[in-house]
Amino acid sequence: MRSLLPFVCLSLTFAAYSDPVLSRSALHERRSHIPSGWRVSRKHHPLTTIPLRFALTQSNLENLEEFLYGVSHPDSPNYGKHWSATEVASTFAPSRASVDAVRDWLLESGIEAHRIKLSASGGWLEFKATVQEAEDLLHTNYNVYGHDTGAEHVACESYHLPEHLGPHVDFVMPTVQFDAKLSKRSGGDGETLRDVGQPSSGNGPKTAGGSLSKVLDQLDSCDQQITPACLRALYGFVYQPKVPENNSYGIVEYTPQAYRQDDLNLFANQFSSDLYGVSPNMVSIDGGALSSQESFDINGESCLDLEYAMNLVTKAQNITLYQVGDLVEGGSFNNFLDAFDGSYCTFEGGDDPTEDGVYPDNQPGGYTGPETCGTIKPANVLSTSYAYSEADLTPAYASRQCAEYGKLGLMGVTFLYSSGDGGVAGNNHACLNPDGSQSSSGKIFNPTFPSTCPYITSVGATQVSPNKTVYDPESACEQVIYSGGGFSNYFGLPDYQKDAVASYLKHTPPSYPDSIWNSTGKSRAYPDISANGANYVIAVDGNFTLVYGTSASSPVVGAMLTMVNDARIALGKGPIGFINPVIYAVNFTDGFNDITNGTNPGCGTPGFNTSHGWDPVTGLGTPNFPKLLAKWIALP
């Protein structure tokens, strides 16, 4: 398959005789196209000042997968022996050699020592450079780009670093990144990464419209309406928590998404009366608050997640709601991760203010407190029903975030992400064009992120097909939404998945040309597992309605894994943490109900086919809770 990446790193070198010290320079990053809507407006003025930031390579990241396997693989003698936050921080801190190498080069290039700043975490170096200085250092030319909305952005087409600095620097900003905010507040109609909670982002459950005149809470009606009783029957999920005070389950929401207590009460009255009046324990991250707006687009996601999570883990187990971002600025996945790991706030250049919410937010009504950095302990299991198209992000930005999921996995945290609702297409059914841009008319498959990160567990969607029962095999979801699935264009194939992917490609080889999907067999594939995602009965804005999506699947799987943790903790064992090496192990795959019917259409194609074993539609299948519980209890 030809490269679909909008950014490529090359190893071409040339002699840079204009440097103060003779050195050999290498092309570090290059952008292959100008994103849609942008154009070169003018060359940037040479005396304008920009904050030039060098993201230092962290130590031992090349060993992250090995470390993670050490505590996560069922055959490892260290299974379940998760690391402390201090161990993680000390292991991955950038080396002194990286700091010194970049600083020495800057000093030799004429940058005064007092101008060079090192972050508290040691993760990046920064100095305020004139455009001329930056161009001389990086052998590039900076332009100002204009957008159709009137926004402007500073970037270059490529940049170089001395060859010896390549191993010490992940990326430099601002350079080829094209992540300027096109916020509604400035009059634009574009989306940014911090708009992940906005209704127009393509996230959230889907609905066929209208309210239900009658709720059918009987097992023989599960092909029409899914209720908690249907899910318990489908997956054998019957469990009463034993040590809930020692366990935790977190649901993540991004402002303005918000639940209504009246809706939680309405759902409780129908399905679990003991939960009437019960609220999740809300943890506010960067001013996270509940919007007072009432609409399906604002309330649907949070109501769905909480109503089913709270019901399935029962009243005994408290649910933590992580509400991210204030009502003005919003928040991104990185703002969420900042709350757990203070060093991540400045990891590899820190949050990108063009993509992440920046706090304090001095706009009217914004959160004026400090950014939430390393002050919150993550729950044992975290479910997030939000995603980006992988192509929305630069590879460096995605890699930065993916590494953090791996580090938190080392600490025993299980991350679940919904795989998306567009089949082989991305958010809002956008597909890729040959130049790497996205559009509804694109023909190239467009994977979702973080599902393509090998350090999280991606959850797809299934359905009880019409005229079938909970005792019949489910099919891939093909009502209103299609289970997101496919192959990454950024991340390599992890060891735990190699056999499963190789088997699929051998026995069910897709017939599409290599030009529209990553057919190499060497890239991360998703989803990992699935759960029902069609015809969910939820209470929202005072009525019952049906919703669809992997938004439903993820919190359901999270509830089951939380109860697995409860059983282990009750036996004096630790939480399951990163589960992928376990669930792909040969003696674990029979703990899932294999899904062999259905596809995941998108990009003008029928998508991929389901098959026996793992497939890029429903993963390994849906959980068989009794079997999985017994298997996890047996592990140390």
Side-chain angles (χ1 to χ4, degrees):
M1 174 187 173
R2 67 175 180 272
S3 172
L4 300 180
L5 303 187
F7 302 85
V8 291
C9 299
L10 302 178
S11 58
L12 302 178
T13 60
F14 64 91
Y17 296 106
S18 59
D19 281 347
V21 177
L22 269 180
S23 64
R24 192 168 179 83
S25 291
L27 181 62
H28 202 68
E29 284 188 292
R30 181 177 66 191
R31 177 167 39 80
S32 62
H33 72 282
I34 299 175
S36 176
W38 292 94
R39 63 192 178 282
V40 176
S41 176
R42 62 187 182 278
K43 189 180 185 313
H44 209 9
H45 193 284
L47 298 182
T48 301
T49 300
I50 57 176
L52 198 62
R53 298 185 291 168
F54 295 83
L56 303 177
T57 303
Q58 288 207 328
S59 301
N60 295 309
L61 279 184
E62 71 277 9
N63 299 317
L64 177 57
E65 182 173 327
E66 178 185 349
F67 293 152
L68 197 51
Y69 272 38
V71 299
S72 304
H73 196 284
D75 295 334
S76 170
N78 293 319
Y79 178 81
K81 297 178 181 179
H82 297 118
W83 293 19
S84 69
T86 300
E87 289 175 305
V88 169
S90 62
T91 299
F92 296 102
S95 69
R96 188 71 229 177
S98 292
V99 176
D100 291 344
V102 178
R103 184 194 294 274
D104 290 347
W105 170 64
L106 292 174
L107 292 173
E108 291 170 352
S109 300
I111 307 303
E112 297 87 350
H114 71 272
R115 297 171 60 191
I116 305 170
K117 307 297 182 184
L118 178 67
S119 69
S121 68
W124 52 281
L125 284 170
E126 174 183 324
F127 78 98
K128 292 182 179 179
T130 65
V131 168
Q132 187 64 62
E133 285 177 321
E135 289 181 338
D136 291 343
L137 284 169
L138 303 178
H139 298 284
T140 190
N141 293 295
Y142 277 94
N143 293 314
V144 177
Y145 294 79
H147 191 265
D148 296 340
T149 62
E152 291 191 332
H153 180 63
V154 175
C156 59
E157 294 183 0
S158 63
Y159 67 97
H160 301 76
L161 289 174
E163 195 172 35
H164 74 281
L165 290 187
H168 298 291
V169 177
D170 280 334
F171 57 91
V172 182
M173 296 182 68
T175 51
V176 297
Q177 299 84 6
F178 233 94
D179 311 313
K181 291 189 290 287
L182 304 175
S183 69
K184 293 178 176 61
R185 289 196 302 275
S186 64
D189 58 359
E191 296 293 332
T192 71
L193 302 190
R194 68 180 188 184
D195 291 330
V196 67
Q198 293 291 341
S200 56
S201 68
N203 288 296
K206 313 305 185 286
T207 180
S211 58
L212 294 174
S213 59
K214 182 181 180 181
V215 174
L216 306 175
D217 193 15
Q218 302 295 325
L219 291 184
D220 59 3
S221 302
C222 294
D223 62 328
Q224 303 171 61
Q225 297 182 14
I226 287 290
T227 66
C230 295
L231 296 170
R232 293 187 185 281
L234 279 168
Y235 308 128
F237 185 36
V238 179
Y239 184 90
Q240 186 63 33
K242 298 177 175 64
V243 287
E245 67 279 3
N246 298 326
N247 197 16
S248 53
Y249 180 24
I251 298 293
V252 186
E253 304 291 350
Y254 291 85
T255 306
Q257 299 298 315
Y259 77 91
R260 296 174 67 250
Q261 186 61 47
D262 287 348
D263 291 331
L264 300 191
N265 291 343
L266 179 60
F267 191 84
N269 262 342
Q270 181 71 37
F271 300 110
S272 46
S273 58
D274 62 336
L275 282 168
Y276 186 90
V278 177
S279 304
N281 174 34
M282 192 178 93
V283 174
S284 174
I285 296 176
D286 292 337
L290 299 180
S291 171
S292 60
Q293 299 180 62
E294 293 186 12
S295 72
F296 177 84
D297 287 341
I298 297 296
N299 308 126
E301 180 65 71
S302 192
C303 284
L304 164 63
D305 294 344
L306 292 171
E307 286 166 5
Y308 278 84
M310 292 169 67
N311 180 287
L312 292 174
V313 299
T314 79
K315 182 183 178 181
Q317 178 66 61
N318 289 331
I319 296 288
T320 300
L321 166 63
Y322 297 98
Q323 189 72 35
V324 186
D326 67 15
L327 295 170
V328 176
E329 184 77 10
S332 74
F333 291 167
N334 283 334
N335 293 119
F336 170 60
L337 291 170
D338 287 347
F340 298 140
D341 182 357
S343 67
Y344 183 61
C345 300
T346 50
F347 166 45
E348 291 192 344
D351 288 343
D352 181 352
T354 67
E355 301 206 16
D356 307 316
V358 179
Y359 297 98
D361 178 5
N362 296 317
Q363 300 177 82
Y367 169 64
T368 57
E371 180 181 26
T372 306
C373 275
T375 59
I376 293 173
K377 181 180 179 180
N380 291 333
V381 176
L382 292 166
S383 173
T384 303
S385 297
Y386 300 81
Y388 302 121
S389 297
E390 188 181 60
D392 290 342
L393 317 175
T394 67
Y397 188 95
S399 295
R400 160 196 174 179
Q401 193 177 103
C402 185
E404 186 67 9
Y405 292 127
K407 288 159 61 181
L408 289 171
L410 274 172
M411 296 164 59
V413 178
T414 304
F415 277 98
L416 302 176
Y417 275 95
S418 55
S419 69
D421 298 339
V424 296
N427 281 354
N428 290 317
H429 300 281
C431 297
L432 292 169
N433 298 307
D435 66 357
S437 61
Q438 302 176 69
S439 69
S440 59
S441 59
K443 302 300 182 184
I444 301 171
F445 296 179
N446 192 11
T448 64
F449 180 86
S451 279
T452 55
C453 170
Y455 304 138
I456 65 93
T457 301
S458 173
V459 185
T462 56
Q463 67 180 31
V464 177
S465 296
N467 301 314
K468 298 295 184 179
T469 74
V470 293
Y471 307 109
D472 296 315
E474 289 185 87
S475 300
C477 192
E478 295 178 319
Q479 297 183 59
V480 180
I481 69 102
Y482 301 108
S483 181
F487 300 85
S488 174
N489 291 321
Y490 287 6
F491 296 97
L493 182 66
D495 282 344
Y496 62 75
Q497 204 178 35
K498 285 182 177 178
D499 290 345
V501 171
S503 178
Y504 177 81
L505 294 177
K506 177 181 179 181
H507 296 107
T508 318
S511 59
Y512 305 118
D514 295 349
S515 58
I516 70 169
W517 68 292
N518 192 335
S519 62
T520 61
K522 297 180 180 180
S523 66
R524 158 69 163 150
Y526 74 102
D528 298 299
I529 54 180
S530 290
N532 192 283
N535 295 307
Y536 273 59
V537 176
I538 70 165
V540 60
D541 299 332
N543 296 293
F544 287 105
T545 191
L546 295 182
V547 298
Y548 308 76
T550 53
S551 289
S553 312
S554 183
V556 168
V557 171
M560 287 187 267
L561 297 181
T562 297
M563 295 298 94
V564 170
N565 276 338
D566 179 89
R568 285 180 54 84
I569 293 169
L571 294 173
K573 300 181 178 183
I576 53 179
F578 178 54
I579 68 171
N580 290 14
V582 168
I583 63 177
Y584 281 92
V586 174
N587 63 337
F588 250 80
T589 53
D590 65 345
F592 295 91
N593 307 305
D594 198 8
I595 307 299
T596 59
N597 185 50
T599 63
N600 58 350
C603 303
T605 74
F608 295 109
N609 292 311
T610 52
S611 71
H612 290 288
W614 179 89
D615 57 67
V617 184
T618 60
L620 295 167
T622 61
N624 182 314
F625 181 75
K627 287 186 178 181
L628 290 175
L629 179 63
K631 291 175 182 291
W632 258 305
I633 286 177
L635 291 177

